[in-house]
Amino acid sequence: SQTIHQWPATLVQPVGSPLSLECTVEGTSNPNLYWYRQAAGRGLQLLFYSVGIGQISSEVPQNLSASRPQDRQFILSSKKLLLSDSGFYLCAWSNGLAGSEQYFGPGTRLTVT
Amino acid sequence: DAKTTQPNSMESNEEEPVHLPCNHSTISGTDYIHWYRQLPSQGPEYVIHGLTSNVNNRMASLAIAEDRKSSTLILHRATLRDAAVYYCILRDGGNKLVFGAGTILRVKS
């Protein structure tokens, strides 16, 4: 069966510090991968998605970037965090077929102070 | 992205069925109807999806109107663990899920 991992589970970082969040998927190959953010009390917003190694699509202009160095690894980064980057970051995967469902990881709760 | 409309909140008694409605009058022929739910402090959980026909799985049933402009998620026997935000989403052949505000389901014991 497929499993999706995210770490760390929680993170407190000062403004201006760098960020690296990691997501890995097990039990499937060539998945579509996604990064979402959920601000406090708000809905989920798609940040990035990837259909293959090195292929990243950005949905919103922002202070963040994403990379996919391996087939089942997806990384979210920032060089300098802003207060507005605080939120609940979720990674998800799907099998890439039209209309297919997405499966979400446990999330990382980031607080920028 | 085609839009969905859901009630802000609903309440149910434990052990009773729950029918969560969703309107999607601008649905296109290639849009799949997806349902997810999110418990507090957790990531969304896939519940069910369908295209034209009604669907059943171990978690729920999805009833789709004949004109596809509305659908209903049916939880056959609500438990306290079903209390969550339920999202109805139209998914086209692309890569995006666009989450709205969803329906907050409260389950009373």
Side-chain angles (χ1 to χ4, degrees):
Chain A
S1 64
Q2 299 85 10
T3 312
I4 181 167
H5 303 279
Q6 284 187 247
W7 62 91
T10 60
L11 192 58
V12 180
Q13 293 283 98
V15 168
S17 64
L19 173 73
S20 181
L21 302 181
E22 189 163 343
C23 170
T24 59
V25 181
E26 295 177 357
T28 187
S29 59
N30 197 30
N32 284 2
L33 296 172
Y34 308 83
W35 278 113
Y36 290 84
R37 177 172 60 200
Q38 188 171 34
R42 306 285 296 276
L44 277 82
Q45 180 185 39
L46 178 63
L47 302 175
F48 302 95
Y49 68 88
S50 171
V51 299
I53 295 174
Q55 300 179 61
I56 308 295
S57 297
S58 174
E59 286 295 303
V60 291
Q62 60 209 316
N63 184 41
L64 302 168
S65 62
S67 62
R68 185 170 177 174
Q70 300 181 46
D71 182 44
R72 289 169 289 177
Q73 184 185 30
F74 205 23
I75 297 171
L76 184 69
S77 304
S78 174
K79 292 181 179 178
K80 288 186 177 182
L81 284 169
L82 307 172
L83 285 174
S84 59
D85 291 324
S86 293
F88 191 37
Y89 288 82
L90 291 149
C91 181
W93 74 272
S94 71
N95 64 19
L97 296 176
S100 61
E101 64 274 23
Q102 292 184 12
Y103 295 96
F104 288 78
T108 295
R109 191 162 302 280
L110 171 66
T111 303
V112 182
T113 60
Chain B
D1 299 306
K3 185 177 170 60
T4 63
T5 304
Q6 301 178 251
N8 291 332
S9 64
M10 292 184 64
E11 200 166 80
S12 171
N13 294 318
E14 201 174 8
E15 305 287 321
E16 291 185 357
V18 181
H19 290 232
L20 296 164
C22 181
N23 288 320
H24 27 78
S25 58
T26 60
I27 191 170
S28 74
T30 57
D31 285 338
Y32 287 79
I33 302 161
H34 280 238
W35 285 82
Y36 293 77
R37 70 181 186 182
Q38 187 174 21
L39 280 67
S41 299
Q42 295 187 26
E45 176 185 28
Y46 166 75
V47 178
I48 200 166
H49 78 282
L51 185 61
T52 56
S53 303
N54 295 343
V55 185
N56 300 296
N57 66 19
R58 64 175 179 81
M59 290 181 70
S61 296
L62 176 60
I64 301 173
E66 198 168 330
D67 64 4
R68 300 212 322 130
K69 293 186 176 183
S70 65
S71 61
T72 302
L73 179 70
I74 303 166
L75 307 179
H76 296 286
R77 287 179 66 219
T79 70
L80 296 178
R81 289 176 296 178
D82 291 322
V85 180
Y86 285 79
Y87 298 99
C88 170
I89 301 169
L90 298 183
R91 176 147 162 80
D92 59 17
N95 290 298
K96 290 193 285 188
L97 284 178
V98 180
F99 284 80
T103 296
I104 299 171
L105 175 65
R106 298 183 177 91
V107 180
K108 298 185 295 182
S109 60

